[in-house]
Amino acid sequence: MSSVTGPGAAASGPRLPDFPWDSLAPHKATANAHPDGIVDLSVGTPVDPVPAKLQEALSAVAEVPGYPATHGTPALREAAVESLRRRYGITGLEPDAVLPTIGSKELVAWLPTLLGVRPGDVVAIPDLAYPTYEVGAKIAGAEVVRLAPGELPPAGTRLLWLNSPSNPTGRVLTADELGRMVRAAQDMGAVVASDECYLALGWDAEPVSVLHPSVGAARDGLLAVHSLSKSSNLAGYRAGFVTGDPVLVARLLELRKHAGMIVPRPVQEAVTAALRDDEHVSAQRELYASRRAVLRPALESAGFTIEHSQAGLYLWSTRGEDAWATVEWLAQRGILAAPGTFYGPDGSRHVRIAMTATDERIATAAKRLDA
């Protein structure tokens, strides 16, 4: 844990975990020393260009001088509703229940605070989870409870995070599993936030949104968080949105107006273009599918077991040893991966291996693994 002492310590804010990726520095140095260079599979950052249509949309409003709307343009909100219906079968949403966000990470980090979560409240997260769920709870001073697969949230829960497809494991929850978790949380008055950033990337299973009719859940206190970083290569644009319960979205909108949490106007235009066009999403999906088809068998041939990984951008992998030993084994071959411990104690014998590298680097990694 980080600590602050000396003048100003009393005003230093909540105590947060150290930033996980900083601890990878020595292993990154080892991988960088490989004669043919590093293959960095530790972070799920896009490497392919932003589609031309989206670049053009960004620049089309570059001359607009005024402040953007926190709620986003009507065109953006309408495009979001239509894309969710068209791509994922989500019906019954109104444009007013869509709120653009500055990527999804800032929403994840600040959602507990914006919802009024306080010290003594519980934020329930998956046992293996995106680290920012925990960070957001700690910023609000709340208690974090990690839930094993299928485990229901405990009494006192104010916010429940769901994540399907999962980061890091790629596990996909069925509509029945989602419905069971949502109803349990709603019965105790908790808000449910479903992180659906990888919804477009199903491989061995078809992910379903928590807002899909098959889940059978009322939308009271229910939010779905979406990101365009993965599906549209917009990580650098910081582009996402949240939707669901219109009353809750309206409350978040009012708070974000006061806090200045506004997506820049050119980014709003690029988001609108991305939501209107499915062709580039399909093309990007095919790129990831082809990289997965190269990387997964290479890992298995090298003695790795791939668990879950039915969807998403990662291969949840183990050699049956301590995660950091596997990180070092890979680094000696010029490959950098993230230890499962970044995502929770139950990840101590796994590594998360991203498929977000160029075709050439993925092929290079496969060759090194087969050597």
Side-chain angles (χ1 to χ4, degrees):
M1 298 287 290
S2 297
S3 60
V4 179
T5 59
S12 64
R15 290 171 57 87
L16 300 178
D18 292 330
F19 189 65
W21 275 263
D22 291 346
S23 62
L24 272 179
H27 302 285
K28 186 173 185 178
T30 298
N32 270 321
H34 191 280
D36 191 27
I38 189 175
V39 179
D40 192 344
L41 307 180
S42 66
V43 181
T45 188
V47 297
D48 302 302
V50 174
K53 286 183 181 179
L54 312 191
Q55 295 184 46
E56 292 163 5
L58 182 84
S59 62
V61 294
E63 82 287 357
V64 175
Y67 289 111
T70 307
H71 204 181
T73 65
L76 182 156
R77 289 182 273 119
E78 290 164 7
V81 168
E82 283 303 305
S83 72
L84 292 174
R85 179 193 57 77
R86 194 173 61 245
R87 297 175 186 176
Y88 308 122
I90 299 170
T91 56
L93 285 175
E94 294 295 331
D96 280 353
V98 173
L99 177 58
T101 60
I102 310 163
S104 60
K105 184 171 184 175
E106 64 89 354
L107 180 74
V108 172
W110 289 107
L111 186 61
T113 299
L114 294 174
L115 291 174
V117 172
R118 296 290 181 263
D121 293 336
V122 171
V123 174
I125 69 175
D127 59 344
L128 292 164
Y130 180 46
T132 309
Y133 302 153
E134 179 181 14
V135 167
K138 289 184 177 296
I139 289 173
E143 177 186 353
V144 177
V145 173
R146 293 180 180 268
L147 303 178
E151 184 181 359
L152 297 179
T157 297
R158 286 286 308 280
L159 172 64
L160 168 66
W161 277 106
L162 300 176
N163 181 211
S164 176
S166 163
N167 172 18
T169 70
R171 184 171 181 261
V172 174
L173 298 176
T174 66
D176 286 346
E177 288 172 321
L178 287 169
R180 179 171 174 264
M181 296 295 289
V182 170
R183 286 186 289 273
Q186 289 175 331
D187 285 347
M188 66 177 69
V191 172
V192 178
S194 178
D195 179 349
E196 301 181 351
C197 293
Y198 300 91
L199 203 59
L201 299 171
W203 313 118
D204 303 325
E206 190 63 36
V208 61
S209 169
V210 76
L211 300 177
H212 192 274
S214 65
V215 174
R219 290 185 178 164
D220 297 338
L222 186 58
L223 297 171
V225 180
H226 286 258
S227 167
L228 284 81
S229 295
K230 317 303 183 185
S231 59
S232 299
N233 288 338
L234 290 186
Y237 286 32
R238 309 312 301 130
F241 64 91
V242 61
T243 187
D245 180 347
V247 175
L248 202 49
V249 171
R251 177 59 178 156
L252 292 174
L253 171 60
E254 289 305 310
L255 292 167
R256 292 171 68 86
K257 283 180 180 178
H258 285 292
M261 294 176 169
I262 311 172
V263 175
R265 180 66 178 84
V267 175
Q268 292 188 28
E269 201 71 13
V271 169
T272 305
L275 292 170
R276 286 174 173 167
D277 177 65
D278 296 342
E279 185 177 345
H280 78 279
V281 175
S282 297
Q284 190 60 48
R285 173 188 165 84
E286 289 307 309
L287 279 175
Y288 287 131
S290 65
R291 292 163 184 167
R292 183 177 187 269
V294 171
L295 190 56
R296 177 166 187 157
L299 286 164
E300 291 173 331
S301 294
F304 284 82
T305 298
I306 311 298
E307 296 180 356
H308 305 302
S309 306
Q310 297 105 328
L313 285 179
Y314 312 107
L315 295 169
W316 187 240
S317 310
T318 181
R319 297 176 75 229
E321 63 185 3
D322 180 80
W324 285 103
T326 304
V327 168
E328 179 58 24
W329 185 91
L330 288 166
Q332 292 291 342
R333 289 153 181 81
I335 301 168
L336 190 66
T341 49
F342 283 3
Y343 310 96
D346 288 350
S348 62
R349 299 179 74 79
H350 290 76
V351 293
R352 192 196 74 169
I353 298 177
M355 298 180 285
T356 49
T358 63
D359 291 349
E360 183 274 329
R361 287 286 88 185
I362 292 288
T364 296
K367 183 178 180 181
R368 293 177 188 178
L369 289 163
D370 285 340

